Amino acid sequence: TICRTVAVKDVSKEVGAKSGSVGKRINVISGRDNVRITLRGGRGINLVGFKHKQTSSGVNVTVEGQNRSIAHAFQTHGVAKSKLSFVQGNEIIALRIGGKVVPKMGRYAGRVIKRGPRKGQPLLRQPIVAQYGPTVAEVWWRTPGFRDDTMEKIDTALDKTVDQQINRVMKEQQRA
């Protein structure tokens, strides 16, 4: 609906993220007399949803108008791992964090080294962790006038939509 579109565009413009990344986290229920906006919490918007560029030293990301460089980060496709909760095939910006562990799932699970001094030992990998920016709820509640301005834009858009619908019905009645 027009309410959701206005809210998504406003939030994505404020934070500098893609509308699709923001739209997944906003739900609008419009009734006869009111509009209720529900914001999904949880993790923030994945950094792939922002303007980013892979460099030789990591990833440069622009979040809320500020450029930041994340050393050793890389852009990759997600893996199916419930703990990290990203879907296989989705692009993510991630870091390898922590000590090396024996993978329990994925393409390296059960692999052993075939030659060299560690022959027969399990292959060790560092776990990857997706990197996130601010949540939609943070953006919505952080700036005091932001909510009021957005709700005002939604009211204006609703009024405009109602006027368009009335004009459409009137034209149909005149034709008949």
Side-chain angles (χ1 to χ4, degrees):
T1 63
I2 192 72
C3 303
R4 183 174 181 275
T5 304
V6 170
V8 167
K9 283 186 178 180
D10 239 21
V11 172
S12 63
K13 185 177 178 184
E14 176 78 15
V15 77
K18 296 176 185 172
S19 295
S21 301
V22 174
K24 295 175 187 173
R25 294 164 171 80
I26 294 179
N27 187 24
V28 176
I29 300 167
S30 54
R32 288 184 178 180
D33 300 333
N34 61 359
V35 175
R36 191 172 78 203
I37 296 179
T38 311
L39 305 172
R40 197 180 91 200
R43 291 192 175 97
I45 302 166
N46 192 300
L47 291 182
V48 169
F50 298 92
K51 185 177 177 184
H52 64 281
K53 182 178 182 181
Q54 177 79 50
T55 63
S56 59
S57 61
V59 176
N60 293 333
V61 183
T62 303
V63 178
E64 298 185 69
Q66 295 179 342
N67 295 326
R68 67 184 227 210
S69 180
I70 305 171
H72 308 290
F74 54 95
Q75 183 175 344
T76 183
H77 292 283
V79 294
K81 190 166 185 178
S82 59
K83 190 169 97 176
L84 297 176
S85 75
F86 42 78
V87 181
Q88 190 168 6
N90 286 354
E91 295 243 342
I92 60 167
I93 291 179
L95 277 172
R96 291 195 179 279
I97 295 179
K100 294 186 175 186
V101 295
V102 177
K104 292 181 175 67
M105 58 180 9
R107 66 186 279 192
Y108 296 105
R111 293 270 178 103
V112 293
I113 297 173
K114 294 181 180 172
R115 57 181 175 265
R118 291 185 52 224
K119 182 178 180 182
Q121 292 181 4
L123 186 68
L124 301 176
R125 304 283 293 176
Q126 279 182 301
I128 67 170
V129 178
Q131 300 297 300
Y132 298 95
T135 64
V136 173
E138 282 177 26
V139 175
W140 186 262
W141 293 105
R142 183 175 39 212
T143 311
F146 180 74
R147 292 184 310 278
D148 300 331
D149 292 344
T150 303
M151 293 308 286
E152 194 172 302
K153 287 179 186 177
I154 288 173
D155 287 341
T156 305
L158 277 175
D159 291 342
K160 187 176 177 182
T161 304
V162 168
D163 290 343
Q164 288 173 346
Q165 293 294 332
I166 290 171
N167 289 338
R168 183 181 59 80
V169 169
M170 296 291 280
K171 285 181 182 179
E172 287 176 1
Q173 287 178 352
Q174 286 176 354
R175 289 183 198 154

Short mmCIF file of all heavy atoms in Angstrom, two decimals, residues 59-123:
data_model
loop_
_atom_site.label_atom_id
_atom_site.label_comp_id
_atom_site.label_asym_id
_atom_site.label_seq_id
_atom_site.Cartn_x
_atom_site.Cartn_y
_atom_site.Cartn_z
N VAL A 59 36.25 -4.11 3.21
CA VAL A 59 35.05 -3.57 2.56
C VAL A 59 34.83 -2.16 3.06
O VAL A 59 34.93 -1.89 4.26
CB VAL A 59 33.81 -4.44 2.89
CG1 VAL A 59 32.55 -3.84 2.33
CG2 VAL A 59 33.99 -5.85 2.38
N ASN A 60 34.55 -1.23 2.13
CA ASN A 60 34.17 0.12 2.49
C ASN A 60 32.65 0.22 2.41
O ASN A 60 32.06 -0.15 1.39
CB ASN A 60 34.80 1.14 1.54
CG ASN A 60 36.30 1.21 1.68
OD1 ASN A 60 36.86 0.90 2.73
ND2 ASN A 60 36.98 1.58 0.61
N VAL A 61 32.03 0.72 3.47
CA VAL A 61 30.57 0.80 3.54
C VAL A 61 30.16 2.21 3.93
O VAL A 61 30.80 2.83 4.78
CB VAL A 61 30.02 -0.20 4.59
CG1 VAL A 61 28.51 -0.18 4.61
CG2 VAL A 61 30.51 -1.58 4.34
N THR A 62 29.09 2.71 3.32
CA THR A 62 28.53 4.00 3.70
C THR A 62 27.22 3.75 4.45
O THR A 62 26.24 3.31 3.86
CB THR A 62 28.25 4.87 2.46
OG1 THR A 62 29.46 5.02 1.73
CG2 THR A 62 27.73 6.23 2.86
N VAL A 63 27.24 4.00 5.76
CA VAL A 63 26.07 3.80 6.61
C VAL A 63 25.69 5.15 7.20
O VAL A 63 26.51 5.80 7.86
CB VAL A 63 26.36 2.79 7.74
CG1 VAL A 63 25.15 2.63 8.63
CG2 VAL A 63 26.78 1.46 7.16
N GLU A 64 24.46 5.56 6.97
CA GLU A 64 23.93 6.83 7.48
C GLU A 64 24.82 8.00 7.09
O GLU A 64 25.08 8.89 7.89
CB GLU A 64 23.74 6.76 8.99
CG GLU A 64 22.74 5.69 9.39
CD GLU A 64 22.45 5.68 10.87
OE1 GLU A 64 21.83 6.65 11.34
OE2 GLU A 64 22.86 4.74 11.53
N GLY A 65 25.32 7.99 5.85
CA GLY A 65 26.12 9.09 5.34
C GLY A 65 27.58 9.07 5.77
O GLY A 65 28.35 9.93 5.37
N GLN A 66 27.97 8.12 6.59
CA GLN A 66 29.36 8.04 7.06
C GLN A 66 30.05 6.85 6.42
O GLN A 66 29.54 5.73 6.47
CB GLN A 66 29.41 7.91 8.58
CG GLN A 66 28.87 9.12 9.31
CD GLN A 66 28.91 8.94 10.81
OE1 GLN A 66 29.03 7.83 11.30
NE2 GLN A 66 28.82 10.04 11.53
N ASN A 67 31.22 7.11 5.83
CA ASN A 67 32.01 6.03 5.25
C ASN A 67 32.79 5.33 6.34
O ASN A 67 33.39 5.99 7.19
CB ASN A 67 32.98 6.57 4.20
CG ASN A 67 32.27 7.16 3.02
OD1 ASN A 67 31.22 6.70 2.63
ND2 ASN A 67 32.84 8.20 2.43
N ARG A 68 32.78 4.02 6.32
CA ARG A 68 33.61 3.28 7.26
C ARG A 68 34.23 2.09 6.55
O ARG A 68 33.62 1.51 5.65
CB ARG A 68 32.85 2.88 8.51
CG ARG A 68 31.77 1.88 8.33
CD ARG A 68 31.03 1.65 9.64
NE ARG A 68 30.87 0.24 9.87
CZ ARG A 68 29.88 -0.31 10.52
NH1 ARG A 68 28.95 0.46 11.04
NH2 ARG A 68 29.81 -1.60 10.69
N SER A 69 35.43 1.80 6.93
CA SER A 69 36.16 0.70 6.33
C SER A 69 36.22 -0.44 7.33
O SER A 69 36.58 -0.24 8.49
CB SER A 69 37.57 1.16 5.96
OG SER A 69 38.28 0.10 5.38
N ILE A 70 35.89 -1.64 6.89
CA ILE A 70 35.95 -2.81 7.75
C ILE A 70 37.08 -3.69 7.24
O ILE A 70 36.98 -4.30 6.18
CB ILE A 70 34.62 -3.59 7.74
CG1 ILE A 70 33.47 -2.65 8.12
CG2 ILE A 70 34.68 -4.78 8.68
CD1 ILE A 70 32.12 -3.25 7.92
N ALA A 71 38.18 -3.69 7.99
CA ALA A 71 39.36 -4.44 7.58
C ALA A 71 39.08 -5.94 7.60
O ALA A 71 38.37 -6.44 8.48
CB ALA A 71 40.54 -4.12 8.49
N HIS A 72 39.60 -6.66 6.62
CA HIS A 72 39.51 -8.12 6.50
C HIS A 72 38.10 -8.63 6.22
O HIS A 72 37.88 -9.83 6.23
CB HIS A 72 40.09 -8.83 7.73
CG HIS A 72 41.45 -8.38 8.09
ND1 HIS A 72 42.56 -8.67 7.33
CD2 HIS A 72 41.90 -7.64 9.13
CE1 HIS A 72 43.63 -8.14 7.88
NE2 HIS A 72 43.27 -7.49 8.97
N ALA A 73 37.15 -7.73 6.01
CA ALA A 73 35.78 -8.16 5.69
C ALA A 73 35.74 -8.56 4.22
O ALA A 73 36.57 -8.15 3.42
CB ALA A 73 34.78 -7.05 5.96
N PHE A 74 34.75 -9.37 3.88
CA PHE A 74 34.61 -9.81 2.49
C PHE A 74 33.13 -10.01 2.18
O PHE A 74 32.31 -10.23 3.06
CB PHE A 74 35.39 -11.10 2.23
CG PHE A 74 35.05 -12.22 3.17
CD1 PHE A 74 34.11 -13.18 2.83
CD2 PHE A 74 35.68 -12.31 4.41
CE1 PHE A 74 33.79 -14.20 3.70
CE2 PHE A 74 35.37 -13.34 5.28
CZ PHE A 74 34.43 -14.28 4.93
N GLN A 75 32.82 -9.88 0.89
CA GLN A 75 31.46 -10.07 0.43
C GLN A 75 31.35 -11.49 -0.10
O GLN A 75 32.17 -11.95 -0.87
CB GLN A 75 31.15 -9.08 -0.68
CG GLN A 75 29.74 -9.13 -1.17
CD GLN A 75 29.46 -8.04 -2.19
OE1 GLN A 75 30.21 -7.10 -2.31
NE2 GLN A 75 28.37 -8.20 -2.91
N THR A 76 30.34 -12.21 0.35
CA THR A 76 30.19 -13.60 -0.03
C THR A 76 28.72 -13.98 -0.06
O THR A 76 27.86 -13.19 0.34
CB THR A 76 30.96 -14.52 0.95
OG1 THR A 76 30.86 -15.86 0.49
CG2 THR A 76 30.40 -14.43 2.35
N HIS A 77 28.45 -15.18 -0.52
CA HIS A 77 27.10 -15.72 -0.46
C HIS A 77 26.93 -16.40 0.89
O HIS A 77 27.86 -17.04 1.38
CB HIS A 77 26.85 -16.72 -1.59
CG HIS A 77 26.82 -16.08 -2.92
ND1 HIS A 77 25.74 -15.36 -3.36
CD2 HIS A 77 27.74 -15.99 -3.90
CE1 HIS A 77 25.99 -14.88 -4.56
NE2 HIS A 77 27.21 -15.25 -4.92
N GLY A 78 25.75 -16.28 1.47
CA GLY A 78 25.49 -16.87 2.77
C GLY A 78 25.53 -18.39 2.74
O GLY A 78 25.43 -19.01 1.69
N VAL A 79 25.70 -18.96 3.90
CA VAL A 79 25.66 -20.41 4.03
C VAL A 79 24.45 -20.78 4.85
O VAL A 79 23.98 -19.99 5.65
CB VAL A 79 26.94 -20.96 4.69
CG1 VAL A 79 28.13 -20.74 3.80
CG2 VAL A 79 27.18 -20.33 6.04
N ALA A 80 23.95 -21.98 4.68
CA ALA A 80 22.77 -22.41 5.42
C ALA A 80 23.20 -22.82 6.82
O ALA A 80 23.62 -23.95 7.05
CB ALA A 80 22.09 -23.57 4.71
N LYS A 81 23.16 -21.89 7.74
CA LYS A 81 23.55 -22.19 9.11
C LYS A 81 22.55 -21.49 10.03
O LYS A 81 22.47 -20.27 10.02
CB LYS A 81 24.97 -21.71 9.38
CG LYS A 81 25.53 -22.19 10.67
CD LYS A 81 27.03 -21.96 10.74
CE LYS A 81 27.57 -22.57 12.01
NZ LYS A 81 29.00 -22.41 12.09
N SER A 82 21.81 -22.25 10.79
CA SER A 82 20.72 -21.67 11.57
C SER A 82 21.23 -20.66 12.59
O SER A 82 20.55 -19.70 12.90
CB SER A 82 19.94 -22.78 12.26
OG SER A 82 20.78 -23.51 13.12
N LYS A 83 22.43 -20.88 13.13
CA LYS A 83 22.95 -19.97 14.15
C LYS A 83 23.17 -18.57 13.58
O LYS A 83 22.94 -17.58 14.25
CB LYS A 83 24.27 -20.53 14.71
CG LYS A 83 24.77 -19.79 15.93
CD LYS A 83 25.90 -20.55 16.57
CE LYS A 83 27.22 -19.98 16.10
NZ LYS A 83 28.38 -20.59 16.74
N LEU A 84 23.60 -18.50 12.34
CA LEU A 84 23.85 -17.20 11.72
C LEU A 84 22.62 -16.65 11.05
O LEU A 84 22.56 -15.47 10.73
CB LEU A 84 24.99 -17.32 10.71
CG LEU A 84 26.33 -17.70 11.30
CD1 LEU A 84 27.35 -17.88 10.19
CD2 LEU A 84 26.82 -16.67 12.28
N SER A 85 21.65 -17.49 10.81
CA SER A 85 20.34 -17.15 10.25
C SER A 85 20.41 -16.33 8.97
O SER A 85 19.71 -15.37 8.80
CB SER A 85 19.48 -16.42 11.28
OG SER A 85 19.91 -15.10 11.45
N PHE A 86 21.29 -16.72 8.06
CA PHE A 86 21.17 -16.15 6.73
C PHE A 86 20.99 -17.28 5.74
O PHE A 86 21.47 -18.38 5.91
CB PHE A 86 22.31 -15.21 6.34
CG PHE A 86 23.68 -15.64 6.73
CD1 PHE A 86 24.36 -16.60 6.01
CD2 PHE A 86 24.31 -15.07 7.81
CE1 PHE A 86 25.63 -16.97 6.34
CE2 PHE A 86 25.59 -15.44 8.16
CZ PHE A 86 26.25 -16.40 7.42
N VAL A 87 20.22 -16.99 4.70
CA VAL A 87 19.78 -18.02 3.78
C VAL A 87 20.85 -18.26 2.72
O VAL A 87 21.51 -17.34 2.27
CB VAL A 87 18.47 -17.57 3.11
CG1 VAL A 87 17.96 -18.62 2.16
CG2 VAL A 87 17.43 -17.25 4.16
N GLN A 88 21.00 -19.50 2.33
CA GLN A 88 21.99 -19.83 1.32
C GLN A 88 21.67 -19.09 0.02
O GLN A 88 20.55 -19.07 -0.43
CB GLN A 88 21.99 -21.33 1.06
CG GLN A 88 23.13 -21.77 0.20
CD GLN A 88 23.28 -23.28 0.21
OE1 GLN A 88 22.46 -23.97 0.77
NE2 GLN A 88 24.33 -23.76 -0.41
N GLY A 89 22.67 -18.44 -0.54
CA GLY A 89 22.48 -17.70 -1.77
C GLY A 89 22.38 -16.20 -1.57
O GLY A 89 22.66 -15.45 -2.47
N ASN A 90 21.97 -15.75 -0.39
CA ASN A 90 21.91 -14.32 -0.14
C ASN A 90 23.31 -13.76 0.01
O ASN A 90 24.17 -14.38 0.60
CB ASN A 90 21.12 -14.02 1.13
CG ASN A 90 19.64 -14.20 0.95
OD1 ASN A 90 19.18 -14.45 -0.14
ND2 ASN A 90 18.91 -14.07 2.02
N GLU A 91 23.52 -12.56 -0.51
CA GLU A 91 24.82 -11.92 -0.36
C GLU A 91 24.93 -11.35 1.04
O GLU A 91 23.95 -10.83 1.59
CB GLU A 91 24.96 -10.79 -1.39
CG GLU A 91 24.99 -11.27 -2.80
CD GLU A 91 26.30 -10.97 -3.48
OE1 GLU A 91 27.04 -10.11 -3.00
OE2 GLU A 91 26.57 -11.61 -4.49
N ILE A 92 26.11 -11.47 1.62
CA ILE A 92 26.37 -10.92 2.95
C ILE A 92 27.76 -10.30 2.95
O ILE A 92 28.59 -10.61 2.11
CB ILE A 92 26.28 -11.98 4.07
CG1 ILE A 92 27.31 -13.09 3.83
CG2 ILE A 92 24.90 -12.53 4.20
CD1 ILE A 92 27.51 -13.99 5.02
N ILE A 93 28.00 -9.42 3.92
CA ILE A 93 29.35 -8.96 4.21
C ILE A 93 29.72 -9.61 5.53
O ILE A 93 28.97 -9.52 6.51
CB ILE A 93 29.41 -7.43 4.29
CG1 ILE A 93 29.19 -6.86 2.89
CG2 ILE A 93 30.74 -6.97 4.86
CD1 ILE A 93 29.21 -5.37 2.80
N ALA A 94 30.84 -10.31 5.55
CA ALA A 94 31.18 -11.12 6.71
C ALA A 94 32.64 -10.95 7.10
O ALA A 94 33.45 -10.42 6.33
CB ALA A 94 30.90 -12.59 6.41
N LEU A 95 32.95 -11.40 8.30
CA LEU A 95 34.31 -11.45 8.83
C LEU A 95 34.55 -12.84 9.39
O LEU A 95 33.63 -13.49 9.88
CB LEU A 95 34.46 -10.45 9.99
CG LEU A 95 34.74 -9.01 9.67
CD1 LEU A 95 34.66 -8.17 10.94
CD2 LEU A 95 36.11 -8.85 9.05
N ARG A 96 35.80 -13.28 9.31
CA ARG A 96 36.17 -14.51 10.00
C ARG A 96 36.60 -14.10 11.41
O ARG A 96 37.51 -13.30 11.57
CB ARG A 96 37.30 -15.22 9.27
CG ARG A 96 36.86 -15.78 7.96
CD ARG A 96 37.87 -16.79 7.42
NE ARG A 96 37.40 -17.34 6.16
CZ ARG A 96 36.53 -18.32 6.06
NH1 ARG A 96 36.03 -18.88 7.14
NH2 ARG A 96 36.14 -18.76 4.89
N ILE A 97 35.93 -14.65 12.41
CA ILE A 97 36.18 -14.24 13.79
C ILE A 97 36.37 -15.48 14.65
O ILE A 97 35.65 -16.47 14.51
CB ILE A 97 35.00 -13.40 14.34
CG1 ILE A 97 34.91 -12.10 13.56
CG2 ILE A 97 35.16 -13.12 15.81
CD1 ILE A 97 33.79 -11.19 13.97
N GLY A 98 37.30 -15.40 15.57
CA GLY A 98 37.51 -16.47 16.54
C GLY A 98 38.55 -17.47 16.09
O GLY A 98 39.15 -17.38 15.02
N GLY A 99 38.77 -18.47 16.95
CA GLY A 99 39.75 -19.50 16.66
C GLY A 99 39.24 -20.50 15.65
O GLY A 99 38.05 -20.59 15.36
N LYS A 100 40.15 -21.26 15.10
CA LYS A 100 39.77 -22.26 14.11
C LYS A 100 39.08 -23.44 14.79
O LYS A 100 39.48 -23.87 15.86
CB LYS A 100 41.01 -22.73 13.36
CG LYS A 100 41.62 -21.63 12.51
CD LYS A 100 42.74 -22.16 11.67
CE LYS A 100 43.24 -21.05 10.74
NZ LYS A 100 44.24 -21.54 9.81
N VAL A 101 38.04 -23.93 14.13
CA VAL A 101 37.26 -25.05 14.66
C VAL A 101 37.02 -26.06 13.56
O VAL A 101 37.16 -25.76 12.38
CB VAL A 101 35.90 -24.57 15.23
CG1 VAL A 101 36.08 -23.67 16.43
CG2 VAL A 101 35.08 -23.87 14.16
N VAL A 102 36.61 -27.25 13.94
CA VAL A 102 36.26 -28.29 12.98
C VAL A 102 34.83 -28.01 12.51
O VAL A 102 33.90 -27.97 13.32
CB VAL A 102 36.34 -29.69 13.62
CG1 VAL A 102 35.90 -30.75 12.64
CG2 VAL A 102 37.73 -29.96 14.15
N PRO A 103 34.62 -27.78 11.21
CA PRO A 103 33.27 -27.51 10.71
C PRO A 103 32.35 -28.72 10.91
O PRO A 103 32.74 -29.85 10.66
CB PRO A 103 33.47 -27.23 9.23
CG PRO A 103 34.92 -26.94 9.07
CD PRO A 103 35.61 -27.68 10.15
N LYS A 104 31.11 -28.45 11.36
CA LYS A 104 30.15 -29.52 11.60
C LYS A 104 29.16 -29.68 10.45
O LYS A 104 28.47 -30.66 10.35
CB LYS A 104 29.38 -29.24 12.89
CG LYS A 104 30.26 -29.33 14.12
CD LYS A 104 29.45 -29.08 15.37
CE LYS A 104 30.25 -29.27 16.62
NZ LYS A 104 31.32 -28.31 16.80
N MET A 105 29.07 -28.66 9.59
CA MET A 105 28.18 -28.73 8.43
C MET A 105 28.79 -27.93 7.29
O MET A 105 29.72 -27.17 7.48
CB MET A 105 26.79 -28.20 8.79
CG MET A 105 26.80 -26.78 9.30
SD MET A 105 25.22 -26.04 9.76
CE MET A 105 24.06 -27.31 9.74
N GLY A 106 28.28 -28.13 6.10
CA GLY A 106 28.79 -27.42 4.94
C GLY A 106 29.83 -28.23 4.19
O GLY A 106 30.07 -29.41 4.46
N ARG A 107 30.47 -27.60 3.25
CA ARG A 107 31.37 -28.32 2.35
C ARG A 107 32.64 -28.80 3.04
O ARG A 107 33.32 -29.69 2.52
CB ARG A 107 31.70 -27.46 1.14
CG ARG A 107 32.50 -26.21 1.47
CD ARG A 107 32.67 -25.34 0.28
NE ARG A 107 33.76 -25.82 -0.55
CZ ARG A 107 34.28 -25.13 -1.54
NH1 ARG A 107 33.80 -23.93 -1.83
NH2 ARG A 107 35.26 -25.60 -2.25
N TYR A 108 33.01 -28.23 4.18
CA TYR A 108 34.23 -28.64 4.86
C TYR A 108 33.99 -29.62 6.00
O TYR A 108 34.91 -30.03 6.67
CB TYR A 108 34.99 -27.42 5.37
CG TYR A 108 35.46 -26.53 4.26
CD1 TYR A 108 34.84 -25.32 3.98
CD2 TYR A 108 36.52 -26.91 3.44
CE1 TYR A 108 35.25 -24.51 2.95
CE2 TYR A 108 36.95 -26.11 2.40
CZ TYR A 108 36.30 -24.91 2.16
OH TYR A 108 36.73 -24.12 1.12
N ALA A 109 32.75 -29.99 6.24
CA ALA A 109 32.43 -30.91 7.34
C ALA A 109 33.03 -32.29 7.06
O ALA A 109 32.88 -32.84 5.97
CB ALA A 109 30.92 -31.04 7.50
N GLY A 110 33.74 -32.83 8.02
CA GLY A 110 34.31 -34.17 7.89
C GLY A 110 35.55 -34.25 7.03
O GLY A 110 36.10 -35.32 6.81
N ARG A 111 36.04 -33.13 6.51
CA ARG A 111 37.23 -33.14 5.66
C ARG A 111 38.49 -33.33 6.51
O ARG A 111 38.58 -32.82 7.62
CB ARG A 111 37.37 -31.83 4.88
CG ARG A 111 36.31 -31.58 3.85
CD ARG A 111 36.73 -32.18 2.51
NE ARG A 111 35.73 -32.00 1.51
CZ ARG A 111 35.79 -31.08 0.55
NH1 ARG A 111 36.80 -30.26 0.48
NH2 ARG A 111 34.83 -31.01 -0.33
N VAL A 112 39.43 -34.06 5.95
CA VAL A 112 40.74 -34.24 6.61
C VAL A 112 41.83 -33.81 5.64
O VAL A 112 41.64 -33.82 4.41
CB VAL A 112 40.97 -35.70 7.06
CG1 VAL A 112 40.00 -36.08 8.16
CG2 VAL A 112 40.87 -36.64 5.89
N ILE A 113 42.96 -33.45 6.20
CA ILE A 113 44.10 -33.04 5.37
C ILE A 113 44.70 -34.30 4.75
O ILE A 113 44.95 -35.30 5.44
CB ILE A 113 45.11 -32.28 6.24
CG1 ILE A 113 44.44 -30.99 6.75
CG2 ILE A 113 46.37 -31.96 5.45
CD1 ILE A 113 45.23 -30.21 7.74
N LYS A 114 44.97 -34.25 3.44
CA LYS A 114 45.39 -35.45 2.71
C LYS A 114 46.90 -35.64 2.65
O LYS A 114 47.38 -36.76 2.48
CB LYS A 114 44.81 -35.42 1.30
CG LYS A 114 43.30 -35.53 1.30
CD LYS A 114 42.73 -35.54 -0.09
CE LYS A 114 41.22 -35.65 0.01
NZ LYS A 114 40.57 -35.48 -1.26
N ARG A 115 47.67 -34.56 2.75
CA ARG A 115 49.12 -34.73 2.69
C ARG A 115 49.80 -33.66 3.52
O ARG A 115 49.20 -32.67 3.88
CB ARG A 115 49.60 -34.69 1.24
CG ARG A 115 49.24 -33.45 0.50
CD ARG A 115 49.76 -33.54 -0.94
NE ARG A 115 49.32 -32.40 -1.71
CZ ARG A 115 48.25 -32.36 -2.47
NH1 ARG A 115 47.49 -33.43 -2.57
NH2 ARG A 115 47.92 -31.29 -3.12
N GLY A 116 51.06 -33.87 3.82
CA GLY A 116 51.82 -32.92 4.62
C GLY A 116 51.94 -33.40 6.05
O GLY A 116 51.49 -34.50 6.42
N PRO A 117 52.55 -32.58 6.90
CA PRO A 117 52.79 -32.99 8.29
C PRO A 117 51.51 -33.20 9.11
O PRO A 117 51.52 -33.92 10.10
CB PRO A 117 53.62 -31.85 8.87
CG PRO A 117 53.47 -30.70 7.95
CD PRO A 117 53.10 -31.27 6.62
N ARG A 118 50.38 -32.59 8.69
CA ARG A 118 49.12 -32.75 9.42
C ARG A 118 48.20 -33.75 8.74
O ARG A 118 46.99 -33.72 8.94
CB ARG A 118 48.42 -31.39 9.55
CG ARG A 118 49.16 -30.42 10.47
CD ARG A 118 48.41 -29.12 10.69
NE ARG A 118 47.04 -29.35 11.11
CZ ARG A 118 45.99 -28.68 10.61
NH1 ARG A 118 46.16 -27.78 9.69
NH2 ARG A 118 44.78 -28.92 11.04
N LYS A 119 48.76 -34.65 7.96
CA LYS A 119 47.97 -35.64 7.22
C LYS A 119 47.07 -36.44 8.16
O LYS A 119 47.52 -36.92 9.21
CB LYS A 119 48.89 -36.59 6.46
CG LYS A 119 48.17 -37.62 5.64
CD LYS A 119 49.13 -38.49 4.87
CE LYS A 119 48.35 -39.50 4.06
NZ LYS A 119 49.23 -40.40 3.33
N GLY A 120 45.80 -36.57 7.79
CA GLY A 120 44.84 -37.32 8.58
C GLY A 120 44.13 -36.50 9.65
O GLY A 120 43.13 -36.94 10.21
N GLN A 121 44.62 -35.28 9.94
CA GLN A 121 43.98 -34.43 10.93
C GLN A 121 42.80 -33.69 10.28
O GLN A 121 42.79 -33.45 9.08
CB GLN A 121 44.98 -33.42 11.50
CG GLN A 121 46.06 -34.06 12.33
CD GLN A 121 47.02 -33.01 12.90
OE1 GLN A 121 46.82 -31.83 12.72
NE2 GLN A 121 48.04 -33.49 13.58
N PRO A 122 41.80 -33.31 11.09
CA PRO A 122 40.64 -32.61 10.50
C PRO A 122 41.03 -31.22 9.99
O PRO A 122 41.91 -30.57 10.54
CB PRO A 122 39.66 -32.50 11.66
CG PRO A 122 40.45 -32.70 12.89
CD PRO A 122 41.65 -33.52 12.52
N LEU A 123 40.36 -30.81 8.93
CA LEU A 123 40.55 -29.49 8.37
C LEU A 123 39.90 -28.47 9.30
O LEU A 123 38.75 -28.64 9.71
CB LEU A 123 39.90 -29.42 6.98
CG LEU A 123 40.13 -28.15 6.19
CD1 LEU A 123 41.59 -28.05 5.78
CD2 LEU A 123 39.25 -28.16 4.96
#
